[in-house]
Amino acid sequence: MKVTKAVIPAAGLGTRMLPATKTVPKEMLPLVDKPVIQYIVEEAVASGIEDILIVTNRAKSAMDDYFDYHPELEHRLEAGGKAREAETSRAVADMANIFYVRQKETKGLGHAIWRAKRFVGDEPFAILLGDDIMYTEQGAPALRQLIDAAEKYECSAIGTREVPDDLIVKYSSLRIEQLEERVFNILDMNEKPTLETKLSNYAIMGRYVLTSSIFDILENTAPGAGGEIQLTDGMRTLLGRERMVAVDFDAKRYDTGNLRGFLEATIDYALRHPDAGEWLRGFILDKAEKLK
Ligand code: UTP
């Protein structure tokens, strides 16, 4: 099994980040000096992905423009002796082969993934949610850890993380049994459980490697929680037909789709930034002193 294609669903409405996301896609909000989606594309490329499909909608064409050349800007920068800045702009467009498809109606994550059917064909493929950023300081990127497990066990692999009770009810829960450190066999899963119906506190988290069997299943999956076609419902059917494993990947996860997660990511990435990090550290310490 070799995984070279990835899908980034980015057609959600981003209602938790309004009013910023009324006209700017939440995937295009800047995290320090790059939009959120660039971190995700970088993780995919660093994990060995060559072709990426971004699922967008009619309000999100800023993403297509971002991963394109901008000749007027780049010529102007070069003429002004700013070759490095021009190269930074062009490098974004050369990171990977990026394709786009529109989700014409916002019918849920499962529906968005189903739009990737023709792009993916018969191969296993990766999914990276458009607002979940996974930071690894060293070692393999989060998606690579999933691909390694998928290749080892020759099956689908999905990301998981143990979360407290107040969060498990917002995610999907898994029933699992341990195979090795950080890798589990999946026995069952359910979407947005209650504390009574949760299968464990292991939640499905932001990254997936799935076999292409998911597409026929999604085509026949009825709307579930919230009236949307849920990827978890489709994967549950897949689990009835094929083995699936879960990987408790070693990475720090930021959910940039809600205000607190976005602020946390902004501060952490700014502190790591080579130009701004030291200055920000001093600013925060000074501020903290005054807030005491
Ligand atoms: P979220 O629920 O986190 O995104 O979906 P959302 O719907 O934009 O968020 P809120 O609740 O309104 O703030 C998880 C992922 O699935 C994508 C989103 O873009 C996000 O990456 N998604 C969701 C779609 O592509 N299409 C959909 O119909 C729904």
Side-chain angles (χ1 to χ4, degrees):
M1 180 189 271
K2 192 163 159 48
V3 184
T4 61
K5 288 181 180 173
V7 178
I8 303 179
L13 296 177
T15 55
R16 286 167 297 159
M17 292 293 277
L18 282 168
T21 47
K22 189 174 171 189
T23 53
V24 179
K26 67 176 170 179
E27 299 78 11
M28 287 301 293
L29 293 176
L31 247 186
V32 191
D33 55 2
K34 294 188 283 192
V36 166
I37 189 130
Q38 185 168 341
Y39 294 86
I40 293 167
V41 169
E42 285 172 354
E43 181 193 331
V45 172
S47 300
I49 297 296
E50 292 162 11
D51 299 316
I52 297 173
L53 179 78
I54 304 181
V55 184
T56 67
N57 64 29
R58 66 189 73 77
K60 302 218 173 185
S61 48
M63 278 188 281
D64 318 22
D65 294 339
Y66 185 71
F67 290 107
D68 194 1
Y69 289 145
H70 190 328
E72 192 192 346
L73 170 72
E74 288 143 13
H75 289 154
R76 180 76 66 94
L77 287 168
E78 271 166 355
K82 295 189 168 171
R84 200 167 66 92
E85 285 82 351
E87 188 39 42
T88 304
S89 168
R90 259 193 307 269
V92 170
D94 292 331
M95 283 168 62
N97 302 317
I98 302 189
F99 304 82
Y100 305 89
V101 68
R102 283 189 177 184
Q103 185 187 19
K104 295 174 198 160
E105 292 172 281
T106 314
K107 286 186 174 173
L109 176 58
H111 181 258
I113 298 303
W114 172 74
R115 296 289 290 141
K117 181 176 175 170
R118 292 183 76 91
F119 166 80
V120 169
D122 289 336
E123 301 170 35
F125 68 106
I127 301 171
L128 304 96
L129 295 194
D131 50 5
D132 258 348
I133 293 192
M134 311 296 180
Y135 174 76
T136 38
E137 196 163 308
Q138 51 199 8
L143 179 63
R144 185 67 238 176
Q145 297 174 41
L146 260 70
I147 294 175
D148 286 344
E151 289 180 352
K152 178 170 176 183
Y153 293 100
E154 291 282 323
C155 68
S156 297
I158 62 185
T160 188
R161 176 69 41 102
E162 214 172 352
V163 299
D165 278 349
D166 60 318
L167 284 184
I168 196 71
V169 295
K170 295 182 183 169
Y171 295 119
S172 296
S173 75
L174 292 174
R175 178 174 293 133
I176 50 176
E177 64 182 13
Q178 187 140 21
L179 280 168
E180 57 175 285
E181 204 191 344
R182 293 188 173 274
V183 185
F184 307 84
N185 251 336
I186 302 178
L187 305 175
D188 200 1
M189 61 181 81
N190 59 7
E191 167 84 21
K192 294 202 172 56
T194 62
L195 291 181
E196 288 70 45
T197 60
K198 72 171 184 181
L199 303 168
S200 75
N201 280 62
Y202 279 91
I204 297 179
M205 203 56 84
R207 298 291 181 266
Y208 313 73
V209 174
L210 298 179
T211 64
S212 59
S213 316
I214 193 71
F215 293 112
D216 288 341
I217 294 170
L218 287 173
E219 214 160 303
N220 297 304
T221 300
E228 297 192 330
I229 296 175
Q230 298 292 346
L231 182 59
T232 302
D233 293 341
M235 291 194 304
R236 191 163 188 270
T237 306
L238 185 66
L239 183 64
R241 301 180 190 175
E242 297 177 6
R243 180 183 192 182
M244 297 178 82
V245 296
V247 180
D248 181 2
F249 50 78
D250 188 9
K252 170 134 182 70
R253 177 223 181 208
Y254 300 95
D255 175 5
T256 64
N258 74 74
L259 189 59
R260 287 185 187 183
F262 184 80
L263 291 174
E264 194 191 340
T266 300
I267 293 171
D268 275 359
Y269 276 92
L271 284 169
R272 291 178 197 125
H273 194 277
D275 298 335
E278 265 317 298
W279 166 81
L280 183 64
R281 195 177 310 276
F283 178 82
I284 290 174
L285 289 172
D286 185 47
K287 198 95 192 153
E289 202 55 44
K290 287 182 183 140
L291 286 174
K292 268 184 189 164

